[in-house]
Amino acid sequence: MARWNFAFFDSGVRFDSPDSHPTTMRKLALFLENPFDARGISLAELVGFSTDHLQRMSANNAGGELNARIAATTSALTLLGDTVTDDQGLLGIRMARKQTKDDFRTNTVPGMVARIEGGITSALGAGSSVHTEALPMGRSIFTNCRDDQLATHLETLLNAVTTHQASLSAATVSQASNLLSTWNTIYQNSEAATGNKTTSEAEKRLARENLQLMLYLNLVKLMEMFPRQPEKLPLYMMQHLLENPESPDEEEEEPPPPTPPGP
């Protein structure tokens, strides 16, 4: 593989990185393999990782870029939960749904509503009739209302920006639509009762594989969001939750003390 001793400005080369000019290239096909399909990952580890991952995505999603991935992963975890029959597994999934809902409402909804309001103000000015129509009770209602009332206020917001979309940016309309659809998915999954049902081994396997695929697509999305920034990954994924802790027997033994030299 050719190595270059220069790079054009804005070419993407990081001169401060020891790998700016790698001498070997990793096999590209390996990036298309799903690491979450590893056989050594137990169901408990997969659920625990997914629960933590959902919470981290919701907590670090101020711009709403992960809305679609949060909704897809929540649905996949819910589907897997419908095939799990043990109490511990069911409890973990119910807790994951509730935590995801609470995190999304606390960390994502206020910021997204503020961005949509900013789009209205930017296009039509502060105090416009469209602003009043979209936010008749101000922004605080999105934080203070009950969970079961939030969708109504989001629908009011979406209806207003859709009605006046000719005067607004496409991004503002898209943000309002995505916010409502994502909240509906997360809230419905949080409220849904997980009942024990008879499932075949094939159904369980497909549900698990679906979640594993969603996790891989999330990783791909994070790669798109943070190219050349591997230090960002722990904000969203904790790999050690998928790995078996070392047993005491596997720990390295301390070397014996050196034998003193003879007389």
Side-chain angles (χ1 to χ4, degrees):
M1 182 176 178
R3 294 182 62 189
W4 306 93
N5 59 2
F6 68 93
F8 294 107
F9 176 74
D10 201 28
S11 66
V13 172
R14 294 173 58 181
F15 291 99
D16 61 338
S17 170
D19 297 322
S20 296
H21 305 292
T23 56
T24 60
M25 183 174 182
R26 283 174 287 181
K27 190 175 181 181
L28 294 180
L30 295 177
F31 292 98
L32 302 184
E33 295 180 357
N34 186 350
F36 303 100
D37 288 341
R39 293 184 178 181
I41 300 174
S42 69
L43 180 59
E45 289 169 339
L46 187 67
V47 170
F49 173 87
S50 301
T51 301
D52 180 80
H53 172 50
L54 273 171
Q55 294 171 12
R56 290 174 179 276
M57 283 200 296
S58 296
N60 296 280
N61 185 39
E65 192 169 355
L66 292 171
N67 284 0
R69 299 309 319 151
I70 290 171
T73 307
T74 301
S75 295
L77 187 58
T78 298
L79 179 62
L80 179 62
D82 290 339
T83 71
V84 176
T85 57
D86 65 281
D87 290 340
Q88 184 175 2
L90 292 172
L91 176 61
I93 290 173
R94 283 197 297 269
M95 291 176 62
R97 294 177 185 175
K98 184 179 185 303
Q99 187 64 55
T100 299
K101 179 203 67 172
D102 293 343
D103 287 345
F104 186 81
R105 174 146 195 202
T106 300
N107 300 311
T108 300
V109 171
M112 287 302 298
V113 171
R115 290 184 67 187
I116 296 166
E117 181 187 35
I120 297 173
T121 301
S122 176
L124 302 171
S128 67
S129 60
V130 176
H131 183 281
T132 302
E133 182 181 344
L135 299 156
M137 304 179 72
R139 290 209 321 256
S140 62
I141 192 65
F142 295 91
T143 302
N144 299 331
C145 72
R146 300 197 312 264
D147 285 345
D148 59 358
Q149 297 175 335
L150 181 58
T152 299
H153 299 295
L154 292 175
E155 286 172 0
T156 299
L157 179 61
L158 175 59
N159 290 339
V161 299
T162 301
T163 300
H164 303 282
Q165 59 184 312
S167 303
L168 302 171
S169 69
T172 298
V173 180
S174 176
Q175 288 164 3
S177 178
N178 289 339
L179 182 57
L180 175 60
S181 63
T182 303
W183 168 253
N184 281 337
T185 298
I186 291 174
Y187 179 67
Q188 290 167 9
N189 287 332
S190 175
E191 294 297 299
T194 306
N196 292 344
K197 72 171 187 176
T198 302
T199 56
S200 67
E201 287 302 317
E203 288 175 314
K204 294 178 182 178
R205 184 179 67 254
L206 288 175
R208 174 170 177 159
E209 290 176 352
N210 180 58
L211 177 58
Q212 291 165 184
L213 177 59
M214 293 304 103
L215 294 175
Y216 176 60
L217 295 179
N218 294 352
L219 180 59
V220 172
K221 178 64 177 177
L222 294 173
M223 292 167 62
E224 175 189 340
M225 292 171 60
F226 304 110
R228 292 188 173 131
Q229 300 178 71
E231 68 276 6
K232 296 287 189 180
L233 188 62
L235 288 174
Y236 299 91
M237 291 182 169
M238 300 297 287
Q239 183 172 338
H240 74 273
L241 296 177
L242 296 172
E243 299 171 341
N244 296 323
E246 293 184 358
S247 66
D249 295 337
E250 295 173 340
E251 295 180 356
E252 294 186 6
E253 295 182 1
E254 293 186 7
T259 304

